[in-house]
Tab-separated table of all heavy atoms in Angstrom:
chain	number	residue	atom	x	y	z
A	121	LYS	N	82.944	105.132	78.716
A	121	LYS	CA	83.403	104.574	77.457
A	121	LYS	C	82.304	104.554	76.456
A	121	LYS	O	82.460	104.906	75.288
A	121	LYS	CB	83.900	103.165	77.711
A	121	LYS	CG	85.309	103.063	78.390
A	121	LYS	CD	85.796	101.722	78.795
A	121	LYS	CE	85.379	100.605	78.004
A	121	LYS	NZ	85.957	99.293	78.502
A	122	GLU	N	81.036	104.206	76.897
A	122	GLU	CA	79.896	104.164	76.064
A	122	GLU	C	79.521	105.605	75.527
A	122	GLU	O	79.103	105.801	74.416
A	122	GLU	CB	78.678	103.506	76.690
A	122	GLU	CG	78.813	102.166	76.992
A	122	GLU	CD	77.858	101.646	78.011
A	122	GLU	OE1	76.817	102.364	78.327
A	122	GLU	OE2	78.015	100.471	78.465
A	123	PHE	N	79.805	106.563	76.318
A	123	PHE	CA	79.466	107.981	76.017
A	123	PHE	C	80.352	108.479	74.849
A	123	PHE	O	80.010	109.328	74.069
A	123	PHE	CB	79.597	108.957	77.283
A	123	PHE	CG	79.243	110.319	77.058
A	123	PHE	CD1	77.899	110.549	77.121
A	123	PHE	CD2	80.097	111.291	76.910
A	123	PHE	CE1	77.330	111.969	76.907
A	123	PHE	CE2	79.689	112.665	76.795
A	123	PHE	CZ	78.443	112.966	76.778
A	124	GLY	N	81.587	108.011	74.836
A	124	GLY	CA	82.570	108.436	73.883
A	124	GLY	C	83.329	109.646	74.340
A	124	GLY	O	83.639	109.697	75.594
A	125	ARG	N	83.649	110.491	73.512
A	125	ARG	CA	84.563	111.655	73.866
A	125	ARG	C	83.757	112.437	74.983
A	125	ARG	O	82.622	112.886	74.757
A	125	ARG	CB	84.842	112.482	72.653
A	125	ARG	CG	85.770	113.694	72.960
A	125	ARG	CD	85.800	114.696	71.831
A	125	ARG	NE	84.802	115.642	71.938
A	125	ARG	CZ	83.885	115.914	71.020
A	125	ARG	NH1	83.901	115.360	69.907
A	125	ARG	NH2	82.945	116.820	71.282
A	126	VAL	N	84.452	112.716	76.088
A	126	VAL	CA	83.896	113.481	77.115
A	126	VAL	C	84.814	114.791	77.250
A	126	VAL	O	85.855	114.762	77.518
A	126	VAL	CB	83.975	112.666	78.426
A	126	VAL	CG1	83.400	113.603	79.624
A	126	VAL	CG2	83.326	111.373	78.496
A	127	ASP	N	83.995	115.921	76.995
A	127	ASP	CA	84.709	117.173	77.114
A	127	ASP	C	84.677	117.702	78.507
A	127	ASP	O	85.535	118.340	79.009
A	127	ASP	CB	84.115	118.185	76.049
A	127	ASP	CG	84.358	117.760	74.655
A	127	ASP	OD1	85.524	117.457	74.357
A	127	ASP	OD2	83.444	117.790	73.836
A	128	VAL	N	83.439	117.506	79.054
A	128	VAL	CA	83.245	118.045	80.553
A	128	VAL	C	82.690	116.911	81.262
A	128	VAL	O	81.517	116.422	80.852
A	128	VAL	CB	82.336	119.311	80.526
A	128	VAL	CG1	82.073	119.768	82.035
A	128	VAL	CG2	82.927	120.415	79.692
A	129	LEU	N	83.319	116.364	82.317
A	129	LEU	CA	82.865	115.467	83.167
A	129	LEU	C	82.437	116.160	84.454
A	129	LEU	O	83.291	116.736	85.072
A	129	LEU	CB	83.819	114.342	83.504
A	129	LEU	CG	83.494	113.269	84.476
A	129	LEU	CD1	82.307	112.391	83.924
A	129	LEU	CD2	84.793	112.401	84.766
A	130	MET	N	81.230	115.979	84.922
A	130	MET	CA	80.698	116.715	86.117
A	130	MET	C	80.388	115.632	87.119
A	130	MET	O	79.713	114.690	86.921
A	130	MET	CB	79.405	117.483	85.841
A	130	MET	CG	79.727	118.488	84.671
A	130	MET	SD	78.254	119.381	84.172
A	130	MET	CE	78.084	120.535	85.500
A	131	LEU	N	80.950	115.849	88.386
A	131	LEU	CA	80.770	114.853	89.395
A	131	LEU	C	80.152	115.378	90.641
A	131	LEU	O	80.791	116.239	91.316
A	131	LEU	CB	82.254	114.206	89.722
A	131	LEU	CG	82.909	113.378	88.692
A	131	LEU	CD1	84.335	113.090	89.006
A	131	LEU	CD2	82.089	112.300	88.169
A	132	ASP	N	79.107	114.789	91.144
A	132	ASP	CA	78.543	115.132	92.487
A	132	ASP	C	79.440	114.224	93.421
A	132	ASP	O	80.024	113.208	93.020
A	132	ASP	CB	77.192	114.639	92.597
A	132	ASP	CG	76.491	114.793	93.919
A	132	ASP	OD1	76.917	115.597	94.676
A	132	ASP	OD2	75.462	114.225	94.162
A	133	PHE	N	79.570	114.704	94.691
A	133	PHE	CA	80.357	113.876	95.727
A	133	PHE	C	79.504	112.772	96.291
A	133	PHE	O	80.041	111.668	96.274
A	133	PHE	CB	80.874	114.877	96.708
A	133	PHE	CG	81.968	114.213	97.595
A	133	PHE	CD1	83.244	114.308	97.269
A	133	PHE	CD2	81.607	113.529	98.721
A	133	PHE	CE1	84.276	113.737	97.968
A	133	PHE	CE2	82.578	112.826	99.471
A	133	PHE	CZ	83.954	112.985	99.085
A	134	TYR	N	78.422	113.209	96.777
A	134	TYR	CA	77.597	112.145	97.366
A	134	TYR	C	76.611	111.396	96.435
A	134	TYR	O	75.602	112.047	95.912
A	134	TYR	CB	76.775	112.663	98.506
A	134	TYR	CG	77.694	113.274	99.693
A	134	TYR	CD1	77.815	114.603	99.915
A	134	TYR	CD2	78.307	112.318	100.497
A	134	TYR	CE1	78.716	114.884	100.909
A	134	TYR	CE2	79.133	112.745	101.486
A	134	TYR	CZ	79.351	114.001	101.747
A	134	TYR	OH	80.111	114.480	102.683
A	135	LEU	N	77.123	110.324	95.809
A	135	LEU	CA	76.502	109.660	94.736
A	135	LEU	C	76.461	108.213	95.012
A	135	LEU	O	77.513	107.640	95.299
A	135	LEU	CB	77.290	110.023	93.443
A	135	LEU	CG	76.946	109.567	92.228
A	135	LEU	CD1	75.727	110.289	91.670
A	135	LEU	CD2	77.961	109.865	91.106
A	136	PRO	N	75.365	107.529	94.857
A	136	PRO	CA	75.332	106.058	95.095
A	136	PRO	C	75.611	105.238	93.769
A	136	PRO	O	75.432	105.863	92.692
A	136	PRO	CB	73.905	105.783	95.487
A	136	PRO	CG	73.075	106.780	94.788
A	136	PRO	CD	73.987	107.974	94.642
A	137	PRO	N	76.240	104.142	93.744
A	137	PRO	CA	76.613	103.474	94.979
A	137	PRO	C	78.081	103.747	95.378
A	137	PRO	O	78.449	103.409	96.555
A	137	PRO	CB	76.681	101.939	94.600
A	137	PRO	CG	77.019	101.947	92.996
A	137	PRO	CD	76.391	103.304	92.609
A	138	VAL	N	78.831	104.461	94.553
A	138	VAL	CA	80.137	104.858	95.038
A	138	VAL	C	80.294	106.467	94.915
A	138	VAL	O	79.514	107.088	94.034
A	138	VAL	CB	81.425	104.221	94.340
A	138	VAL	CG1	81.388	102.854	94.415
A	138	VAL	CG2	81.307	104.625	92.762
A	139	THR	N	81.002	107.076	95.748
A	139	THR	CA	81.059	108.550	95.709
A	139	THR	C	81.733	109.125	94.410
A	139	THR	O	82.398	108.347	93.772
A	139	THR	CB	81.865	109.081	96.942
A	139	THR	OG1	83.246	108.778	96.722
A	139	THR	CG2	81.244	108.541	98.211
A	140	GLY	N	81.447	110.324	94.173
A	140	GLY	CA	82.042	111.026	93.072
A	140	GLY	C	83.541	110.916	93.174
A	140	GLY	O	84.309	110.940	92.220
A	141	LEU	N	84.164	111.054	94.411
A	141	LEU	CA	85.557	110.870	94.594
A	141	LEU	C	86.062	109.545	94.193
A	141	LEU	O	87.158	109.434	93.511
A	141	LEU	CB	85.904	111.092	96.148
A	141	LEU	CG	87.296	111.019	96.453
A	141	LEU	CD1	88.215	112.112	95.810
A	141	LEU	CD2	87.560	110.970	97.960
Side-chain angles (χ1 to χ4, degrees):
K121 286 172 33 179
E122 291 167 10
F123 186 77
R125 185 190 86 237
V126 180
D127 296 310
V128 181
L129 178 64
M130 304 176 78
L131 298 172
D132 181 18
F133 192 91
Y134 294 108
L135 184 69
V138 299
T139 67
L141 180 63

